[in-house]
Amino acid sequence: MAQKPSIPKGTRDFSSAEVAKRNYIFSIIKSNFEKFGFQPIETPTFENSETLMGKYGEEGDRLIFKILNSGDYLDKVDEQILLEKSVKKLTPKISEKALRYDLTVPFARYVVQHQNELEFPFKRYQIQPVWRADRPQKGRFREFYQCDADVVGSNSLWQEVELVQLYDTVFTQLGLKGVTIKINNRKILSGIAEVIGASDKLIDFTVALDKLDKIGEEGVKKEMFEKGITSEAIEKVQPLFNFTGTITEKIAQLAVLLMSSEEGTKGVKELQFICNAIDTLGLQSANFDLDVTLARGLNYYTGAIFEVAAPAGVAMGSIGGGGRYDDLTGIFGLKNMSGVGISFGLDRIYLVIEELGLFPETVTTKPQALFINFGDEEALYAMQAMAQLRAAGVRVELFPDKAKLDKQFKYAEKKGIPFVIFVGAEEMVNRTFKLKNNLTREEQIVHLAALTAALQ
């Protein structure tokens, strides 16, 4: 018996209807990327392992899919390494390439490699799949698309302002009104750690703080204490656990809390500039908020940090995120090249739009009409008309076989095709077509020009 086919966990097949809905999201994101001045690039599906490894931290390295070398990949491996059974020693010997983990590091590699060909500041967008050996769960897959927009070669905070506007524009056009664009700043987090005397525990401090909405105030304090942050230091950050008010009020509180930290004060000023600009310019439908617990991407973000939450009432993780990085290209030898970028979480955005029933009915690309097949002579007549209809932008198809009418009608019904077209001997003589609306059951005899107009 043949083995039942399957696909790897964390991957998916997409039906034609699902592909049409995904393309709808892609098209809105892409068109707005271009309206905001971003240019498309693409990078290879896989990179040299040395390009990716060591760029995402220890956990990230574990989630990178490695590609085995071609041929007898064990042939040149020292026998002692095989006997030791050490994954760390063996992997570099048998795998020189890996599937890309994200689009950011390959982009940094691209900028360094092509720096003499690019005009800076360089605004690029990239919409391509990435792969992570993660544990699959709702909204998290091993193969998924990222939709990134980045600007490198500029320190201007106007870039951050534009990226907030870009988020707002895209989500408004997708019908996702009421998303919350959250902002924080790495300098704020560094300043807080400095003020409480825990600069050496910055990562532990921020990772714990980032969990406030999941484990609550006491859970965060417990984790901080277990990571070696003193009770006195934890007491000093008490205001963060009840951090409420308008953005202006929150910034004022931060200014007081961080007045003794030069780094923290810089972060306050940057936030103030961005938030004042957004307040003056306004947003179409998104909410904008300052969240001091936001700490994503701490390994490489150096300034603003962004995260987008779905509209209230939808249980979903972040549907977008990004931030400012001052020296990402430095990992490939190009120093002092500041950049800032954001990403759209396509798969989660899809799930949210689906849950809220916001996909337009016109998204699917099903045929608008089906020509009924009565035989070869009639089919040839139909095919001549179909060529002209398609040239006019009408989606039509011919049932390929001379089958019973009931079978052809059921085919149109199952595919959701709204019209069927009959061509018999009389129609061929009169150069006409019988057009039937499958919903209203109305029929009419029309010439090709009228048929085209009716289907358009």
Side-chain angles (χ1 to χ4, degrees):
M1 183 182 289
Q3 184 178 353
K4 186 178 179 180
S6 63
I7 59 175
K9 288 182 179 179
T11 64
R12 296 153 293 165
D13 289 323
F14 297 106
S15 68
S16 56
E18 289 169 328
V19 169
K21 290 176 180 178
R22 286 166 66 85
N23 286 341
Y24 163 75
I25 299 172
F26 281 139
S27 66
I28 288 178
I29 294 174
K30 179 182 175 182
S31 66
N32 282 291
F33 279 167
E34 293 176 352
K35 284 177 187 175
F36 277 71
F38 293 89
Q39 298 176 311
I41 69 163
E42 291 188 358
T43 58
T45 294
F46 53 92
E47 298 270 354
N48 292 325
S49 295
E50 61 192 29
T51 298
L52 304 179
M53 298 299 289
K55 311 301 189 302
Y56 306 101
E58 190 174 333
E59 183 181 354
D61 282 355
R62 287 199 301 270
L63 300 181
I64 292 174
F65 276 108
K66 286 80 175 177
I67 301 173
L68 288 174
N69 295 338
S70 57
D72 189 353
Y73 52 84
L74 289 176
D75 186 46
K76 296 180 181 178
V77 178
D78 186 273
E79 192 171 339
Q80 184 59 38
I81 293 178
L82 293 174
L83 291 172
E84 288 180 28
K85 297 182 179 179
S86 169
V87 173
K88 285 188 175 180
K89 290 183 180 179
L90 180 61
T91 300
K93 303 291 183 182
I94 63 175
S95 173
E96 297 171 355
K97 299 174 182 65
L99 294 178
R100 60 171 173 247
Y101 176 90
D102 72 354
L103 299 178
T104 305
V105 169
F107 171 54
R109 189 265 309 151
Y110 177 93
V111 170
V112 174
Q113 198 169 340
H114 298 274
Q115 57 186 288
N116 294 328
E117 307 157 27
L118 301 176
E119 187 67 39
F120 293 102
F122 177 54
K123 302 178 72 170
R124 89 77 167 89
Y125 77 84
Q126 215 170 331
I127 301 176
Q128 289 186 277
V130 299
W131 293 265
R132 296 182 186 179
D134 214 341
R135 184 171 65 86
Q137 52 186 286
K138 183 183 178 182
R140 178 171 292 177
F141 307 98
R142 288 176 172 169
E143 178 185 61
F144 57 96
Y145 269 79
Q146 285 191 338
C147 310
D148 287 9
D150 289 80
V151 188
V152 290
S154 171
N155 295 304
S156 172
L157 294 175
W158 287 114
Q159 307 291 359
E160 277 86 339
V161 173
E162 275 217 312
L163 291 175
V164 172
Q165 291 180 311
L166 175 56
Y167 265 143
D168 176 50
T169 302
V170 168
F171 287 120
T172 299
Q173 287 189 20
L174 288 172
L176 286 178
K177 298 178 180 179
V179 303
T180 299
I181 304 169
K182 302 176 184 179
I183 188 172
N184 196 16
N185 194 297
R186 165 64 184 266
K187 295 181 180 72
I188 296 287
L189 295 167
S190 299
I192 294 170
E194 180 187 340
V195 166
I196 66 174
S199 292
D200 60 329
K201 299 284 185 181
L202 174 62
I203 301 296
D204 293 329
F205 165 74
T206 51
V207 166
L209 190 62
D210 197 35
K211 297 177 183 176
L212 182 61
D213 61 338
K214 300 182 183 71
I215 62 177
E217 179 181 336
E218 293 307 314
V220 170
K221 288 180 176 179
K222 182 173 179 287
E223 183 170 325
M224 286 182 177
F225 188 74
E226 289 172 351
K227 293 292 186 180
I229 298 172
T230 66
S231 299
E232 292 78 9
I234 295 172
E235 188 63 32
K236 288 180 181 178
V237 297
Q238 183 63 40
L240 299 183
F241 297 118
N242 309 105
F243 205 65
T244 56
T246 65
I247 289 182
T248 302
E249 291 168 343
K250 289 178 180 179
I251 290 176
Q253 293 175 60
L254 284 174
V256 174
L257 180 65
L258 299 172
M259 65 172 59
S260 64
S261 168
E262 184 180 348
E263 181 81 349
T265 300
K266 283 182 183 176
V268 170
K269 289 180 179 178
E270 289 181 8
L271 276 178
Q272 200 159 29
F273 180 93
I274 297 165
C275 295
N276 285 347
I278 294 299
D279 184 54
T280 300
L281 294 167
L283 296 175
Q284 297 173 63
S285 69
N287 302 309
F288 188 56
D289 194 22
L290 168 56
D291 183 355
V292 291
T293 69
L294 186 58
R296 59 180 293 137
L298 204 62
N299 286 340
Y300 49 84
Y301 290 144
T302 55
I305 305 170
F306 297 111
E307 188 168 279
V308 183
V314 180
M316 182 63 67
S318 64
I319 57 175
R324 165 75 63 173
Y325 42 86
D326 279 344
D327 198 26
L328 191 65
T329 55
I331 58 179
F332 299 115
L334 183 59
K335 298 292 184 182
N336 304 316
M337 182 66 74
S338 184
V340 60
I342 58 172
S343 182
F344 290 83
L346 170 80
D347 295 292
R348 289 184 177 182
I349 291 170
Y350 181 105
L351 293 173
V352 173
I353 295 176
E354 186 85 349
E355 182 176 330
L356 296 176
L358 295 174
F359 278 114
E361 291 183 11
T362 55
V363 162
T364 54
T365 54
K366 60 191 174 188
Q368 293 158 269
L370 173 73
F371 277 84
I372 299 298
N373 192 333
F374 287 108
D376 289 344
E377 191 176 352
E378 292 85 348
L380 182 61
Y381 178 87
M383 291 286 278
Q384 291 172 322
M386 286 164 60
Q388 295 184 57
L389 286 167
R390 287 167 178 163
V394 180
R395 299 186 302 276
V396 289
E397 67 172 290
L398 168 73
F399 194 83
D401 304 307
K402 182 185 176 183
K404 291 181 178 179
L405 279 179
D406 185 55
K407 182 177 181 180
Q408 298 190 49
F409 282 138
K410 283 184 177 178
Y411 175 83
E413 184 182 335
K414 287 181 178 179
K415 288 192 70 173
I417 301 175
F419 294 95
V420 292
I421 302 170
F422 301 88
V423 174
E426 185 178 344
E427 284 78 22
M428 291 172 64
V429 169
N430 296 324
R431 308 301 294 175
T432 58
F433 305 86
K434 182 189 286 186
L435 177 66
K436 179 179 180 180
N437 186 316
N438 280 337
L439 295 176
T440 65
R441 304 298 178 187
E442 294 177 358
E443 296 182 1
Q444 55 181 316
I445 303 297
V446 294
H447 290 284
L448 183 58
L451 176 65
T452 305
L455 294 177
Q456 283 177 324

